[in-house]
Amino acid sequence: MISFAPSARQDRRTPWTIVGLLLLFLVGCAPELNWREVRNVNDGYQVMLPDKPSSMQRSIQLLDQKVEMAMSGAQAAEVAYTIGSVSASKIDASQRQAMLQAMRDQMVRNIQGKVSLQKDVNVPILDAQARQAGVAPAQLVYVEGRHPNGKVVQFRAVFGEHQGRLIQAVMLGPQINDEAAQVFFESLRWMMAPS
């Protein structure tokens, strides 16, 4: 049980300690980023973004195929948070991993980057009722490079495949904040298509 009664051994610094702790609490709670959940069952994902997302569609070239990528994203503190999804249902299953690799390689080339970390991860899968229904393998990469304007840039990304979709979740900016990256990537879920 927590008690607010003063202790028998009252420290003279207590009022300043309380003020200091209160200030730390208020600073820690100041919302630098306005996190919100974005769920897109059609494109197969759920994720937290740091601001109201914008969405767009664009054509990209993966290997020898032109495909449409549906994207949602937000920008905060000079970092772009984007999730993109490509339908691969008409692409032979044996080619999907190669296309996912091409998606990653293309992003690395765009910033003349060098991969500093690459590791296998598991992304939770949610069913139609948003309950965890398993995990899917994916790849997390950290890349450092240069923006076309010459400025140093970093990106961290997860690349994976789920139910005939190739999905990428990307943070891109001059410097990636570890706490923001943790919120973004740990919130990432693949969504099962409704039956």
Side-chain angles (χ1 to χ4, degrees):
M1 182 170 102
I2 298 174
S3 171
F4 293 100
S7 68
R9 193 182 64 141
Q10 183 91 15
D11 187 339
R12 281 183 259 176
R13 293 176 295 172
T14 300
W16 292 111
T17 304
I18 292 170
V19 169
L21 289 173
L22 184 58
L23 286 172
L24 281 173
F25 176 76
L26 291 174
V27 168
C29 291
E32 277 185 39
L33 303 177
N34 186 10
W35 292 103
R36 58 194 69 210
E37 182 180 283
V38 175
R39 183 180 294 180
N40 188 321
V41 176
N42 293 334
D43 290 333
Y45 64 81
Q46 172 182 300
V47 71
M48 298 286 286
L49 290 175
D51 203 351
K52 184 176 180 181
S54 297
S55 296
M56 67 178 279
Q57 194 103 5
R58 71 177 244 211
S59 294
I60 62 169
Q61 189 77 24
L62 289 178
L63 298 179
D64 59 349
Q65 297 192 39
K66 191 173 190 175
V67 294
E68 290 295 313
M69 177 178 276
M71 295 185 293
S72 289
Q75 186 160 345
E78 296 186 40
V79 176
Y81 298 74
T82 308
I83 185 152
S85 175
V86 171
S87 175
S89 58
K90 295 179 181 174
I91 298 166
D92 186 79
S94 64
Q95 288 294 306
R96 291 180 188 166
Q97 285 302 312
M99 289 188 85
L100 200 57
Q101 182 69 37
M103 187 184 286
R104 187 195 97 160
D105 293 347
Q106 190 169 322
M107 288 207 59
V108 173
R109 270 193 313 275
N110 286 347
I111 63 165
Q112 303 163 23
K114 181 177 179 184
V115 176
S116 59
L117 174 81
Q118 174 179 313
K119 74 179 201 178
D120 294 330
V121 295
N122 287 317
V123 176
I125 299 170
L126 299 182
D127 66 14
Q129 288 76 40
R131 295 180 302 225
Q132 187 163 339
V135 295
Q139 189 176 72
L140 172 69
V141 294
Y142 289 19
V143 178
E144 295 181 9
R146 291 203 175 273
H147 193 275
N149 66 13
K151 292 185 179 178
V152 173
V153 69
Q154 300 175 339
F155 85 71
R156 293 185 192 177
V158 169
F159 297 90
E161 177 194 354
H162 178 63
Q163 290 190 325
R165 296 202 74 81
L166 306 178
I167 306 172
Q168 64 180 26
V170 180
M171 289 177 71
L172 174 71
Q175 187 167 353
I176 304 294
N177 175 285
D178 289 331
E179 289 176 20
Q182 184 175 1
V183 172
F184 181 62
F185 291 116
E186 287 187 5
S187 73
L188 186 60
R189 304 286 186 266
W190 296 163
M191 300 289 296
M192 291 177 73
S195 45

